[in-house]
Amino acid sequence: MEKILDRFLGYVQVDTQSDENTELSPSTLQQMFFAQSLADELRKIGLSDVSVSDYGYVTATLPANDDTPRPTVGFIAHMDTSPDMSGKNVKPQIVTNYDGGEIVLNKALNISMSPTDFPEMLHYIGQDLITTDGTTLLGADDKAGIAAIVTAMEYMLANPQIKHGKIRIAFTPDEEIGQGADHFDVAAFGADFAYTIDGGEVGELEFETFNAAAAVVKCHGRNVHPGAAYKKMRNSMRIASTFINMIPRHDTPEHSRDYEGFYHLTDMNGSVELTELHYIIRDFNRDRFEMRKDEMLHNVHRLNAEYGEGTIEIEMHDQYYNMREKIEPVMHIVELAKQAMVDCNIEPKVLPVRGGTDGARLSFMGLPTPNIFAGGLNFHGKYEFLPIESLKKAMNVIVRIAELVK
């Protein structure tokens, strides 16, 4: 327990935020620094074939210790943290024997975390929790996954009586900006199937993701001195607000759950001359996903018909697709993970991923990759926390999967 905790607390000290604006891979230098540090650690604990690619992908091998042929399984986690909130100068705090009440994250700034707002906190009464200090995210997404994988590999090396086949591990950059699989060499990785250790609460097991697209909408205006603007000025921000209001107000993340999709306005900036809107579009059903994209195009055409052709432009591209269609032919790998959890006294919770995962793209690249819990909650913000017991359970499940692969 101490070793996996120390690993995690050390990992979160490294600022590895990704940045979609650099057009580099990895997108930030600190991710490459972290990759090299992890590679050194993997060599030190005794893994073989340790390498860091030019794009910042860390891979390594735990050789088989069983003469019986077994499939090669992979375990994958991502190194970057979300650009949505700072991951610099993370100061994790440990709340021992959580009593079910409000947790003060930062007394000076009057920042607290309450089960009134986050009822899932009550699932962890009596446990030790790692929280933020209220000024940064924590980084459990996905440094908890990395800590669980590395510690599982070290544990199996120290306990050769645990028989297993060849195991491959990989730590990827830039998952948070949708580029985690861009330079992943599936053939060189050489696994028959894999698991991302990148989920939330204990027991989560996911093999369905959204179909996902991103869109940039540019609204063009005309700036004229307001004193002489009559029938001349066109305010791009007002045009943009019209476009925003054409999206059904309940078809958004804050009004959707389970298998419901959404349109999400993630960023906007504007002036009279030009306003840009950044959207992500999500749906589990492929037909509805295509309909959502068509609706965006239809709204652009409607406003261009009203304001003049070229007033609004849209650039839209698909990001990933629901990996269910690639996992269903090999559902035994989902059943294997479920059995591993049961063997570790964990109730499996098969859920759809309401977000992205490297596993979605890897599955379409020929590496079926469901997603397993890493234990963290409330990712990407100051209310992120990680029960220490959940981190240990993620490690135990990895070890048990390795044993069960036959």
PDB file of all heavy atoms in Angstrom, residues 81-117:
ATOM      1  N   THR A  81      -2.523  15.168 -18.099  1.00  0.00           N
ATOM      2  CA  THR A  81      -3.698  15.595 -17.353  1.00  0.00           C
ATOM      3  C   THR A  81      -4.448  16.637 -18.177  1.00  0.00           C
ATOM      4  O   THR A  81      -3.924  17.205 -19.137  1.00  0.00           O
ATOM      5  CB  THR A  81      -3.325  16.169 -15.976  1.00  0.00           C
ATOM      6  OG1 THR A  81      -2.455  17.291 -16.147  1.00  0.00           O
ATOM      7  CG2 THR A  81      -2.652  15.108 -15.122  1.00  0.00           C
ATOM      8  N   SER A  82      -5.669  16.884 -17.770  1.00  0.00           N
ATOM      9  CA  SER A  82      -6.567  17.723 -18.554  1.00  0.00           C
ATOM     10  C   SER A  82      -6.084  19.168 -18.657  1.00  0.00           C
ATOM     11  O   SER A  82      -5.596  19.743 -17.673  1.00  0.00           O
ATOM     12  CB  SER A  82      -7.958  17.707 -17.918  1.00  0.00           C
ATOM     13  OG  SER A  82      -8.798  18.663 -18.511  1.00  0.00           O
ATOM     14  N   PRO A  83      -6.256  19.782 -19.834  1.00  0.00           N
ATOM     15  CA  PRO A  83      -5.957  21.217 -19.972  1.00  0.00           C
ATOM     16  C   PRO A  83      -6.986  22.096 -19.278  1.00  0.00           C
ATOM     17  O   PRO A  83      -6.794  23.307 -19.170  1.00  0.00           O
ATOM     18  CB  PRO A  83      -5.999  21.442 -21.496  1.00  0.00           C
ATOM     19  CG  PRO A  83      -6.025  20.102 -22.124  1.00  0.00           C
ATOM     20  CD  PRO A  83      -6.631  19.173 -21.127  1.00  0.00           C
ATOM     21  N   ASP A  84      -8.088  21.499 -18.794  1.00  0.00           N
ATOM     22  CA  ASP A  84      -9.178  22.293 -18.242  1.00  0.00           C
ATOM     23  C   ASP A  84      -8.816  22.995 -16.938  1.00  0.00           C
ATOM     24  O   ASP A  84      -9.424  23.992 -16.576  1.00  0.00           O
ATOM     25  CB  ASP A  84     -10.411  21.410 -17.991  1.00  0.00           C
ATOM     26  CG  ASP A  84     -11.008  20.881 -19.284  1.00  0.00           C
ATOM     27  OD1 ASP A  84     -10.681  21.426 -20.355  1.00  0.00           O
ATOM     28  OD2 ASP A  84     -11.795  19.922 -19.219  1.00  0.00           O
ATOM     29  N   MET A  85      -7.855  22.447 -16.207  1.00  0.00           N
ATOM     30  CA  MET A  85      -7.451  23.074 -14.956  1.00  0.00           C
ATOM     31  C   MET A  85      -5.982  22.774 -14.705  1.00  0.00           C
ATOM     32  O   MET A  85      -5.481  21.723 -15.104  1.00  0.00           O
ATOM     33  CB  MET A  85      -8.303  22.566 -13.789  1.00  0.00           C
ATOM     34  CG  MET A  85      -8.081  23.355 -12.506  1.00  0.00           C
ATOM     35  SD  MET A  85      -9.301  22.986 -11.247  1.00  0.00           S
ATOM     36  CE  MET A  85      -8.933  24.302 -10.069  1.00  0.00           C
ATOM     37  N   SER A  86      -5.320  23.660 -14.024  1.00  0.00           N
ATOM     38  CA  SER A  86      -3.880  23.538 -13.811  1.00  0.00           C
ATOM     39  C   SER A  86      -3.512  22.236 -13.109  1.00  0.00           C
ATOM     40  O   SER A  86      -4.163  21.806 -12.157  1.00  0.00           O
ATOM     41  CB  SER A  86      -3.375  24.712 -12.971  1.00  0.00           C
ATOM     42  OG  SER A  86      -1.999  24.536 -12.653  1.00  0.00           O
ATOM     43  N   GLY A  87      -2.438  21.607 -13.614  1.00  0.00           N
ATOM     44  CA  GLY A  87      -1.848  20.454 -12.964  1.00  0.00           C
ATOM     45  C   GLY A  87      -0.461  20.772 -12.450  1.00  0.00           C
ATOM     46  O   GLY A  87       0.337  19.869 -12.191  1.00  0.00           O
ATOM     47  N   LYS A  88      -0.174  22.056 -12.286  1.00  0.00           N
ATOM     48  CA  LYS A  88       1.136  22.504 -11.806  1.00  0.00           C
ATOM     49  C   LYS A  88       1.078  22.760 -10.303  1.00  0.00           C
ATOM     50  O   LYS A  88       0.105  23.313  -9.795  1.00  0.00           O
ATOM     51  CB  LYS A  88       1.545  23.787 -12.546  1.00  0.00           C
ATOM     52  CG  LYS A  88       2.954  24.257 -12.244  1.00  0.00           C
ATOM     53  CD  LYS A  88       3.284  25.486 -13.090  1.00  0.00           C
ATOM     54  CE  LYS A  88       4.729  25.947 -12.850  1.00  0.00           C
ATOM     55  NZ  LYS A  88       5.068  27.126 -13.693  1.00  0.00           N
ATOM     56  N   ASN A  89       2.147  22.372  -9.613  1.00  0.00           N
ATOM     57  CA  ASN A  89       2.224  22.562  -8.161  1.00  0.00           C
ATOM     58  C   ASN A  89       1.058  21.901  -7.437  1.00  0.00           C
ATOM     59  O   ASN A  89       0.420  22.498  -6.549  1.00  0.00           O
ATOM     60  CB  ASN A  89       2.291  24.053  -7.814  1.00  0.00           C
ATOM     61  CG  ASN A  89       3.536  24.731  -8.352  1.00  0.00           C
ATOM     62  OD1 ASN A  89       4.608  24.143  -8.370  1.00  0.00           O
ATOM     63  ND2 ASN A  89       3.386  25.966  -8.815  1.00  0.00           N
ATOM     64  N   VAL A  90       0.755  20.664  -7.838  1.00  0.00           N
ATOM     65  CA  VAL A  90      -0.288  19.900  -7.164  1.00  0.00           C
ATOM     66  C   VAL A  90       0.163  19.609  -5.734  1.00  0.00           C
ATOM     67  O   VAL A  90       1.281  19.146  -5.500  1.00  0.00           O
ATOM     68  CB  VAL A  90      -0.573  18.590  -7.922  1.00  0.00           C
ATOM     69  CG1 VAL A  90      -1.526  17.704  -7.137  1.00  0.00           C
ATOM     70  CG2 VAL A  90      -1.140  18.893  -9.312  1.00  0.00           C
ATOM     71  N   LYS A  91      -0.721  19.892  -4.796  1.00  0.00           N
ATOM     72  CA  LYS A  91      -0.422  19.652  -3.379  1.00  0.00           C
ATOM     73  C   LYS A  91      -1.480  18.704  -2.818  1.00  0.00           C
ATOM     74  O   LYS A  91      -2.461  19.153  -2.204  1.00  0.00           O
ATOM     75  CB  LYS A  91      -0.393  20.966  -2.608  1.00  0.00           C
ATOM     76  CG  LYS A  91       0.692  21.951  -3.074  1.00  0.00           C
ATOM     77  CD  LYS A  91       0.639  23.237  -2.274  1.00  0.00           C
ATOM     78  CE  LYS A  91       1.743  24.201  -2.695  1.00  0.00           C
ATOM     79  NZ  LYS A  91       1.570  24.652  -4.095  1.00  0.00           N
ATOM     80  N   PRO A  92      -1.273  17.409  -3.026  1.00  0.00           N
ATOM     81  CA  PRO A  92      -2.278  16.447  -2.548  1.00  0.00           C
ATOM     82  C   PRO A  92      -2.363  16.437  -1.028  1.00  0.00           C
ATOM     83  O   PRO A  92      -1.367  16.643  -0.329  1.00  0.00           O
ATOM     84  CB  PRO A  92      -1.764  15.113  -3.087  1.00  0.00           C
ATOM     85  CG  PRO A  92      -0.313  15.310  -3.319  1.00  0.00           C
ATOM     86  CD  PRO A  92      -0.131  16.748  -3.670  1.00  0.00           C
ATOM     87  N   GLN A  93      -3.576  16.217  -0.541  1.00  0.00           N
ATOM     88  CA  GLN A  93      -3.821  16.119   0.890  1.00  0.00           C
ATOM     89  C   GLN A  93      -4.456  14.759   1.183  1.00  0.00           C
ATOM     90  O   GLN A  93      -5.237  14.258   0.381  1.00  0.00           O
ATOM     91  CB  GLN A  93      -4.763  17.229   1.362  1.00  0.00           C
ATOM     92  CG  GLN A  93      -4.270  18.629   1.010  1.00  0.00           C
ATOM     93  CD  GLN A  93      -5.215  19.719   1.453  1.00  0.00           C
ATOM     94  OE1 GLN A  93      -4.858  20.591   2.224  1.00  0.00           O
ATOM     95  NE2 GLN A  93      -6.444  19.683   0.968  1.00  0.00           N
ATOM     96  N   ILE A  94      -4.140  14.170   2.311  1.00  0.00           N
ATOM     97  CA  ILE A  94      -4.708  12.877   2.683  1.00  0.00           C
ATOM     98  C   ILE A  94      -5.661  13.067   3.853  1.00  0.00           C
ATOM     99  O   ILE A  94      -5.273  13.585   4.912  1.00  0.00           O
ATOM    100  CB  ILE A  94      -3.611  11.858   3.033  1.00  0.00           C
ATOM    101  CG1 ILE A  94      -2.730  11.600   1.807  1.00  0.00           C
ATOM    102  CG2 ILE A  94      -4.232  10.544   3.520  1.00  0.00           C
ATOM    103  CD1 ILE A  94      -1.613  10.605   2.030  1.00  0.00           C
ATOM    104  N   VAL A  95      -6.896  12.681   3.633  1.00  0.00           N
ATOM    105  CA  VAL A  95      -7.917  12.713   4.675  1.00  0.00           C
ATOM    106  C   VAL A  95      -8.038  11.295   5.210  1.00  0.00           C
ATOM    107  O   VAL A  95      -8.470  10.388   4.495  1.00  0.00           O
ATOM    108  CB  VAL A  95      -9.267  13.190   4.108  1.00  0.00           C
ATOM    109  CG1 VAL A  95     -10.346  13.171   5.188  1.00  0.00           C
ATOM    110  CG2 VAL A  95      -9.138  14.585   3.501  1.00  0.00           C
ATOM    111  N   THR A  96      -7.650  11.087   6.456  1.00  0.00           N
ATOM    112  CA  THR A  96      -7.677   9.742   7.025  1.00  0.00           C
ATOM    113  C   THR A  96      -9.033   9.457   7.656  1.00  0.00           C
ATOM    114  O   THR A  96      -9.664  10.340   8.251  1.00  0.00           O
ATOM    115  CB  THR A  96      -6.574   9.563   8.084  1.00  0.00           C
ATOM    116  OG1 THR A  96      -6.747  10.549   9.097  1.00  0.00           O
ATOM    117  CG2 THR A  96      -5.200   9.751   7.452  1.00  0.00           C
ATOM    118  N   ASN A  97      -9.476   8.224   7.466  1.00  0.00           N
ATOM    119  CA  ASN A  97     -10.720   7.750   8.085  1.00  0.00           C
ATOM    120  C   ASN A  97     -11.866   8.741   7.854  1.00  0.00           C
ATOM    121  O   ASN A  97     -12.469   9.262   8.797  1.00  0.00           O
ATOM    122  CB  ASN A  97     -10.501   7.517   9.587  1.00  0.00           C
ATOM    123  CG  ASN A  97     -11.633   6.734  10.223  1.00  0.00           C
ATOM    124  OD1 ASN A  97     -12.362   6.000   9.552  1.00  0.00           O
ATOM    125  ND2 ASN A  97     -11.805   6.901  11.519  1.00  0.00           N
ATOM    126  N   TYR A  98     -12.162   8.980   6.602  1.00  0.00           N
ATOM    127  CA  TYR A  98     -13.197   9.964   6.232  1.00  0.00           C
ATOM    128  C   TYR A  98     -14.502   9.684   6.983  1.00  0.00           C
ATOM    129  O   TYR A  98     -14.999   8.558   7.014  1.00  0.00           O
ATOM    130  CB  TYR A  98     -13.419   9.917   4.724  1.00  0.00           C
ATOM    131  CG  TYR A  98     -14.593  10.754   4.260  1.00  0.00           C
ATOM    132  CD1 TYR A  98     -14.645  12.119   4.537  1.00  0.00           C
ATOM    133  CD2 TYR A  98     -15.649  10.175   3.563  1.00  0.00           C
ATOM    134  CE1 TYR A  98     -15.722  12.888   4.133  1.00  0.00           C
ATOM    135  CE2 TYR A  98     -16.727  10.939   3.141  1.00  0.00           C
ATOM    136  CZ  TYR A  98     -16.764  12.290   3.434  1.00  0.00           C
ATOM    137  OH  TYR A  98     -17.836  13.048   3.037  1.00  0.00           O
ATOM    138  N   ASP A  99     -15.062  10.735   7.565  1.00  0.00           N
ATOM    139  CA  ASP A  99     -16.215  10.573   8.458  1.00  0.00           C
ATOM    140  C   ASP A  99     -17.566  10.836   7.809  1.00  0.00           C
ATOM    141  O   ASP A  99     -18.603  10.795   8.498  1.00  0.00           O
ATOM    142  CB  ASP A  99     -16.053  11.468   9.687  1.00  0.00           C
ATOM    143  CG  ASP A  99     -16.019  12.962   9.344  1.00  0.00           C
ATOM    144  OD1 ASP A  99     -16.239  13.324   8.171  1.00  0.00           O
ATOM    145  OD2 ASP A  99     -15.759  13.764  10.260  1.00  0.00           O
ATOM    146  N   GLY A 100     -17.579  11.137   6.505  1.00  0.00           N
ATOM    147  CA  GLY A 100     -18.852  11.368   5.831  1.00  0.00           C
ATOM    148  C   GLY A 100     -19.293  12.818   5.793  1.00  0.00           C
ATOM    149  O   GLY A 100     -20.370  13.137   5.275  1.00  0.00           O
ATOM    150  N   GLY A 101     -18.490  13.709   6.338  1.00  0.00           N
ATOM    151  CA  GLY A 101     -18.859  15.121   6.355  1.00  0.00           C
ATOM    152  C   GLY A 101     -18.177  15.922   5.267  1.00  0.00           C
ATOM    153  O   GLY A 101     -17.608  15.383   4.314  1.00  0.00           O
ATOM    154  N   GLU A 102     -18.243  17.236   5.384  1.00  0.00           N
ATOM    155  CA  GLU A 102     -17.604  18.151   4.447  1.00  0.00           C
ATOM    156  C   GLU A 102     -16.096  18.113   4.635  1.00  0.00           C
ATOM    157  O   GLU A 102     -15.603  18.010   5.761  1.00  0.00           O
ATOM    158  CB  GLU A 102     -18.131  19.562   4.696  1.00  0.00           C
ATOM    159  CG  GLU A 102     -17.611  20.615   3.749  1.00  0.00           C
ATOM    160  CD  GLU A 102     -18.254  21.965   4.009  1.00  0.00           C
ATOM    161  OE1 GLU A 102     -17.712  22.713   4.843  1.00  0.00           O
ATOM    162  OE2 GLU A 102     -19.293  22.259   3.401  1.00  0.00           O
ATOM    163  N   ILE A 103     -15.359  18.159   3.531  1.00  0.00           N
ATOM    164  CA  ILE A 103     -13.903  18.194   3.582  1.00  0.00           C
ATOM    165  C   ILE A 103     -13.440  19.590   3.187  1.00  0.00           C
ATOM    166  O   ILE A 103     -13.777  20.079   2.104  1.00  0.00           O
ATOM    167  CB  ILE A 103     -13.277  17.156   2.639  1.00  0.00           C
ATOM    168  CG1 ILE A 103     -13.654  15.737   3.070  1.00  0.00           C
ATOM    169  CG2 ILE A 103     -11.756  17.314   2.595  1.00  0.00           C
ATOM    170  CD1 ILE A 103     -13.180  14.661   2.109  1.00  0.00           C
ATOM    171  N   VAL A 104     -12.688  20.239   4.051  1.00  0.00           N
ATOM    172  CA  VAL A 104     -12.122  21.555   3.743  1.00  0.00           C
ATOM    173  C   VAL A 104     -10.866  21.346   2.904  1.00  0.00           C
ATOM    174  O   VAL A 104      -9.883  20.766   3.373  1.00  0.00           O
ATOM    175  CB  VAL A 104     -11.783  22.332   5.027  1.00  0.00           C
ATOM    176  CG1 VAL A 104     -11.115  23.668   4.671  1.00  0.00           C
ATOM    177  CG2 VAL A 104     -13.033  22.569   5.853  1.00  0.00           C
ATOM    178  N   LEU A 105     -10.917  21.790   1.664  1.00  0.00           N
ATOM    179  CA  LEU A 105      -9.773  21.658   0.770  1.00  0.00           C
ATOM    180  C   LEU A 105      -8.783  22.796   0.953  1.00  0.00           C
ATOM    181  O   LEU A 105      -7.577  22.593   0.903  1.00  0.00           O
ATOM    182  CB  LEU A 105     -10.250  21.612  -0.688  1.00  0.00           C
ATOM    183  CG  LEU A 105     -11.205  20.476  -1.066  1.00  0.00           C
ATOM    184  CD1 LEU A 105     -11.635  20.612  -2.525  1.00  0.00           C
ATOM    185  CD2 LEU A 105     -10.567  19.119  -0.825  1.00  0.00           C
ATOM    186  N   ASN A 106      -9.318  23.985   1.145  1.00  0.00           N
ATOM    187  CA  ASN A 106      -8.445  25.152   1.289  1.00  0.00           C
ATOM    188  C   ASN A 106      -9.147  26.166   2.191  1.00  0.00           C
ATOM    189  O   ASN A 106     -10.063  26.866   1.757  1.00  0.00           O
ATOM    190  CB  ASN A 106      -8.149  25.759  -0.089  1.00  0.00           C
ATOM    191  CG  ASN A 106      -7.005  26.748  -0.048  1.00  0.00           C
ATOM    192  OD1 ASN A 106      -7.023  27.694   0.729  1.00  0.00           O
ATOM    193  ND2 ASN A 106      -6.004  26.523  -0.890  1.00  0.00           N
ATOM    194  N   LYS A 107      -8.719  26.211   3.431  1.00  0.00           N
ATOM    195  CA  LYS A 107      -9.371  27.090   4.415  1.00  0.00           C
ATOM    196  C   LYS A 107      -9.218  28.551   4.028  1.00  0.00           C
ATOM    197  O   LYS A 107     -10.169  29.344   4.139  1.00  0.00           O
ATOM    198  CB  LYS A 107      -8.787  26.832   5.794  1.00  0.00           C
ATOM    199  CG  LYS A 107      -9.485  27.594   6.912  1.00  0.00           C
ATOM    200  CD  LYS A 107      -8.931  27.202   8.268  1.00  0.00           C
ATOM    201  CE  LYS A 107      -9.658  27.944   9.391  1.00  0.00           C
ATOM    202  NZ  LYS A 107      -9.118  27.551  10.727  1.00  0.00           N
ATOM    203  N   ALA A 108      -8.022  28.925   3.555  1.00  0.00           N
ATOM    204  CA  ALA A 108      -7.771  30.329   3.228  1.00  0.00           C
ATOM    205  C   ALA A 108      -8.672  30.823   2.103  1.00  0.00           C
ATOM    206  O   ALA A 108      -9.108  31.978   2.106  1.00  0.00           O
ATOM    207  CB  ALA A 108      -6.301  30.515   2.857  1.00  0.00           C
ATOM    208  N   LEU A 109      -8.938  29.938   1.146  1.00  0.00           N
ATOM    209  CA  LEU A 109      -9.769  30.322  -0.002  1.00  0.00           C
ATOM    210  C   LEU A 109     -11.228  29.926   0.172  1.00  0.00           C
ATOM    211  O   LEU A 109     -12.038  30.095  -0.749  1.00  0.00           O
ATOM    212  CB  LEU A 109      -9.203  29.683  -1.277  1.00  0.00           C
ATOM    213  CG  LEU A 109      -7.793  30.121  -1.679  1.00  0.00           C
ATOM    214  CD1 LEU A 109      -7.316  29.334  -2.899  1.00  0.00           C
ATOM    215  CD2 LEU A 109      -7.745  31.621  -1.946  1.00  0.00           C
ATOM    216  N   ASN A 110     -11.555  29.352   1.330  1.00  0.00           N
ATOM    217  CA  ASN A 110     -12.919  28.942   1.643  1.00  0.00           C
ATOM    218  C   ASN A 110     -13.468  27.943   0.605  1.00  0.00           C
ATOM    219  O   ASN A 110     -14.589  28.079   0.107  1.00  0.00           O
ATOM    220  CB  ASN A 110     -13.845  30.164   1.735  1.00  0.00           C
ATOM    221  CG  ASN A 110     -15.180  29.827   2.392  1.00  0.00           C
ATOM    222  OD1 ASN A 110     -15.260  28.928   3.233  1.00  0.00           O
ATOM    223  ND2 ASN A 110     -16.223  30.533   2.000  1.00  0.00           N
ATOM    224  N   ILE A 111     -12.652  26.939   0.273  1.00  0.00           N
ATOM    225  CA  ILE A 111     -13.045  25.917  -0.699  1.00  0.00           C
ATOM    226  C   ILE A 111     -13.234  24.595   0.032  1.00  0.00           C
ATOM    227  O   ILE A 111     -12.299  24.101   0.686  1.00  0.00           O
ATOM    228  CB  ILE A 111     -11.985  25.756  -1.804  1.00  0.00           C
ATOM    229  CG1 ILE A 111     -11.798  27.073  -2.557  1.00  0.00           C
ATOM    230  CG2 ILE A 111     -12.388  24.643  -2.774  1.00  0.00           C
ATOM    231  CD1 ILE A 111     -10.648  27.062  -3.552  1.00  0.00           C
ATOM    232  N   SER A 112     -14.429  24.051  -0.064  1.00  0.00           N
ATOM    233  CA  SER A 112     -14.754  22.794   0.591  1.00  0.00           C
ATOM    234  C   SER A 112     -15.434  21.862  -0.389  1.00  0.00           C
ATOM    235  O   SER A 112     -15.979  22.283  -1.424  1.00  0.00           O
ATOM    236  CB  SER A 112     -15.667  23.028   1.799  1.00  0.00           C
ATOM    237  OG  SER A 112     -15.027  23.823   2.775  1.00  0.00           O
ATOM    238  N   MET A 113     -15.419  20.593  -0.062  1.00  0.00           N
ATOM    239  CA  MET A 113     -16.091  19.558  -0.861  1.00  0.00           C
ATOM    240  C   MET A 113     -17.098  18.851   0.036  1.00  0.00           C
ATOM    241  O   MET A 113     -16.727  18.313   1.087  1.00  0.00           O
ATOM    242  CB  MET A 113     -15.061  18.577  -1.428  1.00  0.00           C
ATOM    243  CG  MET A 113     -15.638  17.476  -2.293  1.00  0.00           C
ATOM    244  SD  MET A 113     -14.348  16.578  -3.215  1.00  0.00           S
ATOM    245  CE  MET A 113     -13.376  15.865  -1.867  1.00  0.00           C
ATOM    246  N   SER A 114     -18.362  18.875  -0.376  1.00  0.00           N
ATOM    247  CA  SER A 114     -19.424  18.368   0.481  1.00  0.00           C
ATOM    248  C   SER A 114     -20.169  17.218  -0.191  1.00  0.00           C
ATOM    249  O   SER A 114     -20.403  17.249  -1.404  1.00  0.00           O
ATOM    250  CB  SER A 114     -20.418  19.487   0.792  1.00  0.00           C
ATOM    251  OG  SER A 114     -21.588  18.971   1.386  1.00  0.00           O
ATOM    252  N   PRO A 115     -20.574  16.199   0.584  1.00  0.00           N
ATOM    253  CA  PRO A 115     -21.390  15.131   0.011  1.00  0.00           C
ATOM    254  C   PRO A 115     -22.767  15.604  -0.446  1.00  0.00           C
ATOM    255  O   PRO A 115     -23.455  14.892  -1.170  1.00  0.00           O
ATOM    256  CB  PRO A 115     -21.493  14.108   1.150  1.00  0.00           C
ATOM    257  CG  PRO A 115     -21.156  14.849   2.388  1.00  0.00           C
ATOM    258  CD  PRO A 115     -20.217  15.937   1.981  1.00  0.00           C
ATOM    259  N   THR A 116     -23.149  16.807  -0.047  1.00  0.00           N
ATOM    260  CA  THR A 116     -24.401  17.380  -0.577  1.00  0.00           C
ATOM    261  C   THR A 116     -24.285  17.604  -2.079  1.00  0.00           C
ATOM    262  O   THR A 116     -25.223  17.354  -2.843  1.00  0.00           O
ATOM    263  CB  THR A 116     -24.714  18.715   0.127  1.00  0.00           C
ATOM    264  OG1 THR A 116     -24.818  18.498   1.530  1.00  0.00           O
ATOM    265  CG2 THR A 116     -26.004  19.310  -0.411  1.00  0.00           C
ATOM    266  N   ASP A 117     -23.105  18.064  -2.505  1.00  0.00           N
ATOM    267  CA  ASP A 117     -22.850  18.278  -3.928  1.00  0.00           C
ATOM    268  C   ASP A 117     -22.279  17.042  -4.599  1.00  0.00           C
ATOM    269  O   ASP A 117     -22.505  16.823  -5.798  1.00  0.00           O
ATOM    270  CB  ASP A 117     -21.856  19.439  -4.111  1.00  0.00           C
ATOM    271  CG  ASP A 117     -22.395  20.743  -3.567  1.00  0.00           C
ATOM    272  OD1 ASP A 117     -23.575  21.042  -3.819  1.00  0.00           O
ATOM    273  OD2 ASP A 117     -21.643  21.452  -2.877  1.00  0.00           O
TER     274      ASP A 117
END
